[in-house]
Amino acid sequence: MPSTTWSATKAKLQLRLSVQRLRTLQQKKEAQAKSARRDIALLLEKGKIESARVKVEALINEDVTLELLELLELYCELLIARFGLFDQGTREPDPGISEGVCAIIYAAPRTEVKELQILREFLMHKYGREFSIGVMENRQGCVSDRVMKKLVVETPLPTLVEAYLTEIAKGYGINWSSLATKAEASEGVSSKDPAPTAPAGQQSGQLPAYSEDGSTGEAPGRPDVPSTGEDLNEKRTPSVPSIPGDGPEDDFEALARRFQALKKH
C-alpha cells in the first residue's frame, strides 16, 4: 500500500500539478513529432523508404502516447471540477468521478509523469487496497476502453504507415506515392473500358438509306399517334345550338296587339 495518506488539500494540489505537467509533456512531444516528420520527409526525398517506414512506426506510437496524455489531462480537470464528490465517506468513488479515478490508478504507472503517480497514491489510499487491486486488474471493465486502447503495445498496420507517409510527403511537397496509390493507378489503367463501337450496319460510317416516301429502310412505318386529350375534347364538345328565330306569338300577345289597333281607330 502507498505510504501517502489521504489529504483533500494535498490531493487537489496534486491534481493541478498533474495538469500542468501533462500539458508541458504534450508540448514537448508535439515538438518532437514535428521534428520527426521533417526527418521522415528528408528520407522520402532521398528515396530511403524503408528507413522512413521505421521512423513512421515510432512516430505513430508517440502519437498514441500523446493521445493518452490528453485523456489523462481531461480526467484530472474533471476531478478538479467535481472535487466535492471526494468528500463522501464511501469505499468506492461516486459514479461522477469513478471513470477518472480508475483511469489514473491504472494508467499512471505507464507514464513518465511523477506528479500523476503521486496523485495515484492518494487515490489508492482514499479507496483502499481491494478497490485498487480491482482497478489494476480491470475487473468488470472499470477502466475506460479509450484508455485501454491507448495502452496496447502493437505494431502499426501497414495501411496506417502508408497513410502517414502519404500525408507527410504531401505536407512537405514531396512527389511520392504509396504502394496502395500505385496499385490503384495500375488497376485503373488496366481496367479502362474500350471505346464504344457503332451499331451493326453503321460501322462503315454510312447513313441509313431513305426511301422515296421519306421513311428509312430499317424501321417500320411509325404508327399513328393517338389523339391528345385536347383533340378528344374538341371532338366530343357538342355544337352550340343556334338561337331560334321569332316563333308564333302566343294568344295573349296577339290579343294585346289587336286591342291597341282598335284603340287607334
Side-chain angles (χ1 to χ4, degrees), residues 189-213:
V189 172
S190 60
S191 61
K192 283 184 177 179
D193 295 331
T197 58
Q202 297 185 14
Q203 295 181 359
S204 60
Q206 298 178 356
L207 296 175
Y210 284 80
S211 60
E212 294 180 357
D213 58 356

mmCIF file of all heavy atoms in Angstrom, residues 189-213:
data_model
loop_
_atom_site.group_PDB
_atom_site.id
_atom_site.type_symbol
_atom_site.label_atom_id
_atom_site.label_comp_id
_atom_site.label_asym_id
_atom_site.label_seq_id
_atom_site.Cartn_x
_atom_site.Cartn_y
_atom_site.Cartn_z
ATOM 1 N N VAL A 189 -5.613 1.844 -65.016
ATOM 2 C CA VAL A 189 -5.185 1.837 -66.414
ATOM 3 C C VAL A 189 -5.595 0.550 -67.099
ATOM 4 O O VAL A 189 -6.048 0.532 -68.238
ATOM 5 C CB VAL A 189 -3.647 2.033 -66.494
ATOM 6 C CG1 VAL A 189 -3.165 1.841 -67.919
ATOM 7 C CG2 VAL A 189 -3.274 3.422 -65.997
ATOM 8 N N SER A 190 -5.461 -0.583 -66.386
ATOM 9 C CA SER A 190 -5.752 -1.875 -66.996
ATOM 10 C C SER A 190 -7.249 -2.131 -67.146
ATOM 11 O O SER A 190 -7.663 -2.911 -67.983
ATOM 12 C CB SER A 190 -5.128 -2.996 -66.156
ATOM 13 O OG SER A 190 -5.660 -2.979 -64.845
ATOM 14 N N SER A 191 -8.043 -1.471 -66.314
ATOM 15 C CA SER A 191 -9.489 -1.745 -66.331
ATOM 16 C C SER A 191 -10.283 -0.691 -67.076
ATOM 17 O O SER A 191 -11.485 -0.579 -66.879
ATOM 18 C CB SER A 191 -10.002 -1.825 -64.885
ATOM 19 O OG SER A 191 -9.793 -0.592 -64.227
ATOM 20 N N LYS A 192 -9.611 0.105 -67.904
ATOM 21 C CA LYS A 192 -10.353 1.107 -68.666
ATOM 22 C C LYS A 192 -11.281 0.431 -69.671
ATOM 23 O O LYS A 192 -10.915 -0.540 -70.310
ATOM 24 C CB LYS A 192 -9.381 2.029 -69.410
ATOM 25 C CG LYS A 192 -8.730 3.072 -68.510
ATOM 26 C CD LYS A 192 -7.871 4.002 -69.342
ATOM 27 C CE LYS A 192 -7.265 5.097 -68.468
ATOM 28 N NZ LYS A 192 -6.405 5.989 -69.248
ATOM 29 N N ASP A 193 -12.480 0.939 -69.814
ATOM 30 C CA ASP A 193 -13.454 0.372 -70.744
ATOM 31 C C ASP A 193 -13.025 0.679 -72.177
ATOM 32 O O ASP A 193 -12.559 1.771 -72.478
ATOM 33 C CB ASP A 193 -14.829 0.968 -70.493
ATOM 34 C CG ASP A 193 -15.347 0.571 -69.132
ATOM 35 O OD1 ASP A 193 -14.966 -0.513 -68.660
ATOM 36 O OD2 ASP A 193 -16.125 1.352 -68.573
ATOM 37 N N PRO A 194 -13.172 -0.293 -73.116
ATOM 38 C CA PRO A 194 -12.847 0.000 -74.514
ATOM 39 C C PRO A 194 -13.790 1.029 -75.098
ATOM 40 O O PRO A 194 -14.891 1.237 -74.607
ATOM 41 C CB PRO A 194 -13.022 -1.370 -75.197
ATOM 42 C CG PRO A 194 -13.966 -2.117 -74.314
ATOM 43 C CD PRO A 194 -13.683 -1.659 -72.916
ATOM 44 N N ALA A 195 -13.323 1.677 -76.150
ATOM 45 C CA ALA A 195 -14.141 2.719 -76.775
ATOM 46 C C ALA A 195 -15.409 2.106 -77.332
ATOM 47 O O ALA A 195 -15.410 0.995 -77.875
ATOM 48 C CB ALA A 195 -13.346 3.378 -77.916
ATOM 49 N N PRO A 196 -16.548 2.775 -77.190
ATOM 50 C CA PRO A 196 -17.814 2.217 -77.688
ATOM 51 C C PRO A 196 -17.810 2.105 -79.198
ATOM 52 O O PRO A 196 -17.315 2.972 -79.906
ATOM 53 C CB PRO A 196 -18.849 3.245 -77.207
ATOM 54 C CG PRO A 196 -18.068 4.507 -77.012
ATOM 55 C CD PRO A 196 -16.689 4.091 -76.584
ATOM 56 N N THR A 197 -18.336 0.994 -79.696
ATOM 57 C CA THR A 197 -18.400 0.743 -81.140
ATOM 58 C C THR A 197 -19.777 1.088 -81.653
ATOM 59 O O THR A 197 -20.770 1.037 -80.927
ATOM 60 C CB THR A 197 -18.091 -0.729 -81.444
ATOM 61 O OG1 THR A 197 -19.033 -1.542 -80.739
ATOM 62 C CG2 THR A 197 -16.674 -1.085 -81.001
ATOM 63 N N ALA A 198 -19.843 1.434 -82.930
ATOM 64 C CA ALA A 198 -21.122 1.800 -83.531
ATOM 65 C C ALA A 198 -21.970 0.560 -83.731
ATOM 66 O O ALA A 198 -21.458 -0.555 -83.844
ATOM 67 C CB ALA A 198 -20.876 2.480 -84.884
ATOM 68 N N PRO A 199 -23.287 0.683 -83.777
ATOM 69 C CA PRO A 199 -24.152 -0.480 -84.000
ATOM 70 C C PRO A 199 -23.889 -1.100 -85.364
ATOM 71 O O PRO A 199 -23.345 -0.475 -86.276
ATOM 72 C CB PRO A 199 -25.567 0.114 -83.920
ATOM 73 C CG PRO A 199 -25.408 1.422 -83.211
ATOM 74 C CD PRO A 199 -24.041 1.906 -83.524
ATOM 75 N N ALA A 200 -24.282 -2.370 -85.459
ATOM 76 C CA ALA A 200 -24.093 -3.088 -86.724
ATOM 77 C C ALA A 200 -24.831 -2.374 -87.836
ATOM 78 O O ALA A 200 -25.970 -1.945 -87.678
ATOM 79 C CB ALA A 200 -24.607 -4.529 -86.586
ATOM 80 N N GLY A 201 -24.198 -2.282 -88.934
ATOM 81 C CA GLY A 201 -24.817 -1.621 -90.070
ATOM 82 C C GLY A 201 -24.423 -0.166 -90.193
ATOM 83 O O GLY A 201 -24.651 0.452 -91.207
ATOM 84 N N GLN A 202 -23.810 0.411 -89.135
ATOM 85 C CA GLN A 202 -23.393 1.795 -89.181
ATOM 86 C C GLN A 202 -21.898 1.940 -88.974
ATOM 87 O O GLN A 202 -21.394 3.037 -88.826
ATOM 88 C CB GLN A 202 -24.131 2.597 -88.098
ATOM 89 C CG GLN A 202 -25.631 2.632 -88.301
ATOM 90 C CD GLN A 202 -26.294 3.532 -87.286
ATOM 91 O OE1 GLN A 202 -25.633 4.306 -86.611
ATOM 92 N NE2 GLN A 202 -27.615 3.434 -87.194
ATOM 93 N N GLN A 203 -21.159 0.838 -88.851
ATOM 94 C CA GLN A 203 -19.727 0.896 -88.620
ATOM 95 C C GLN A 203 -18.993 1.434 -89.837
ATOM 96 O O GLN A 203 -17.887 1.930 -89.740
ATOM 97 C CB GLN A 203 -19.205 -0.500 -88.267
ATOM 98 C CG GLN A 203 -19.767 -1.022 -86.951
ATOM 99 C CD GLN A 203 -19.218 -2.378 -86.611
ATOM 100 O OE1 GLN A 203 -18.429 -2.932 -87.380
ATOM 101 N NE2 GLN A 203 -19.603 -2.908 -85.473
ATOM 102 N N SER A 204 -19.549 1.337 -91.029
ATOM 103 C CA SER A 204 -18.877 1.819 -92.226
ATOM 104 C C SER A 204 -18.963 3.324 -92.353
ATOM 105 O O SER A 204 -18.359 3.910 -93.237
ATOM 106 C CB SER A 204 -19.503 1.168 -93.472
ATOM 107 O OG SER A 204 -20.893 1.503 -93.536
ATOM 108 N N GLY A 205 -19.709 3.987 -91.455
ATOM 109 C CA GLY A 205 -19.822 5.443 -91.485
ATOM 110 C C GLY A 205 -20.893 5.938 -92.421
ATOM 111 O O GLY A 205 -21.022 7.141 -92.637
ATOM 112 N N GLN A 206 -21.671 5.030 -93.066
ATOM 113 C CA GLN A 206 -22.711 5.450 -93.994
ATOM 114 C C GLN A 206 -24.009 5.698 -93.251
ATOM 115 O O GLN A 206 -24.331 5.001 -92.293
ATOM 116 C CB GLN A 206 -22.941 4.378 -95.058
ATOM 117 C CG GLN A 206 -21.705 4.114 -95.925
ATOM 118 C CD GLN A 206 -21.978 3.019 -96.926
ATOM 119 O OE1 GLN A 206 -23.047 2.429 -96.912
ATOM 120 N NE2 GLN A 206 -21.014 2.757 -97.791
ATOM 121 N N LEU A 207 -24.719 6.705 -93.689
ATOM 122 C CA LEU A 207 -26.016 6.976 -93.102
ATOM 123 C C LEU A 207 -27.039 5.995 -93.632
ATOM 124 O O LEU A 207 -26.910 5.503 -94.756
ATOM 125 C CB LEU A 207 -26.458 8.408 -93.454
ATOM 126 C CG LEU A 207 -25.580 9.524 -92.881
ATOM 127 C CD1 LEU A 207 -26.047 10.871 -93.407
ATOM 128 C CD2 LEU A 207 -25.635 9.497 -91.375
ATOM 129 N N PRO A 208 -28.079 5.675 -92.864
ATOM 130 C CA PRO A 208 -29.102 4.745 -93.346
ATOM 131 C C PRO A 208 -29.838 5.341 -94.534
ATOM 132 O O PRO A 208 -30.100 6.546 -94.589
ATOM 133 C CB PRO A 208 -30.039 4.582 -92.139
ATOM 134 C CG PRO A 208 -29.788 5.781 -91.289
ATOM 135 C CD PRO A 208 -28.353 6.128 -91.493
ATOM 136 N N ALA A 209 -30.154 4.479 -95.488
ATOM 137 C CA ALA A 209 -30.824 4.929 -96.723
ATOM 138 C C ALA A 209 -32.281 5.219 -96.442
ATOM 139 O O ALA A 209 -32.916 4.593 -95.596
ATOM 140 C CB ALA A 209 -30.703 3.851 -97.792
ATOM 141 N N TYR A 210 -32.805 6.205 -97.152
ATOM 142 C CA TYR A 210 -34.206 6.573 -97.031
ATOM 143 C C TYR A 210 -34.937 6.234 -98.326
ATOM 144 O O TYR A 210 -34.384 6.358 -99.410
ATOM 145 C CB TYR A 210 -34.358 8.072 -96.747
ATOM 146 C CG TYR A 210 -34.041 8.440 -95.345
ATOM 147 C CD1 TYR A 210 -32.704 8.591 -94.939
ATOM 148 C CD2 TYR A 210 -35.046 8.614 -94.411
ATOM 149 C CE1 TYR A 210 -32.392 8.925 -93.640
ATOM 150 C CE2 TYR A 210 -34.737 8.950 -93.096
ATOM 151 C CZ TYR A 210 -33.410 9.095 -92.727
ATOM 152 O OH TYR A 210 -33.121 9.417 -91.451
ATOM 153 N N SER A 211 -36.175 5.824 -98.195
ATOM 154 C CA SER A 211 -36.990 5.508 -99.370
ATOM 155 C C SER A 211 -37.593 6.794 -99.924
ATOM 156 O O SER A 211 -37.481 7.866 -99.325
ATOM 157 C CB SER A 211 -38.094 4.520 -98.985
ATOM 158 O OG SER A 211 -38.927 5.093 -97.993
ATOM 159 N N GLU A 212 -38.236 6.671 -101.042
ATOM 160 C CA GLU A 212 -38.786 7.847 -101.700
ATOM 161 C C GLU A 212 -39.870 8.514 -100.868
ATOM 162 O O GLU A 212 -40.058 9.721 -100.925
ATOM 163 C CB GLU A 212 -39.356 7.452 -103.077
ATOM 164 C CG GLU A 212 -38.281 6.982 -104.043
ATOM 165 C CD GLU A 212 -38.902 6.619 -105.372
ATOM 166 O OE1 GLU A 212 -40.138 6.703 -105.457
ATOM 167 O OE2 GLU A 212 -38.152 6.274 -106.296
ATOM 168 N N ASP A 213 -40.579 7.708 -100.067
ATOM 169 C CA ASP A 213 -41.655 8.310 -99.288
ATOM 170 C C ASP A 213 -41.156 8.936 -97.994
ATOM 171 O O ASP A 213 -41.937 9.389 -97.169
ATOM 172 C CB ASP A 213 -42.749 7.282 -98.968
ATOM 173 C CG ASP A 213 -42.163 6.105 -98.213
ATOM 174 O OD1 ASP A 213 -40.931 6.063 -98.029
ATOM 175 O OD2 ASP A 213 -42.952 5.233 -97.812
#
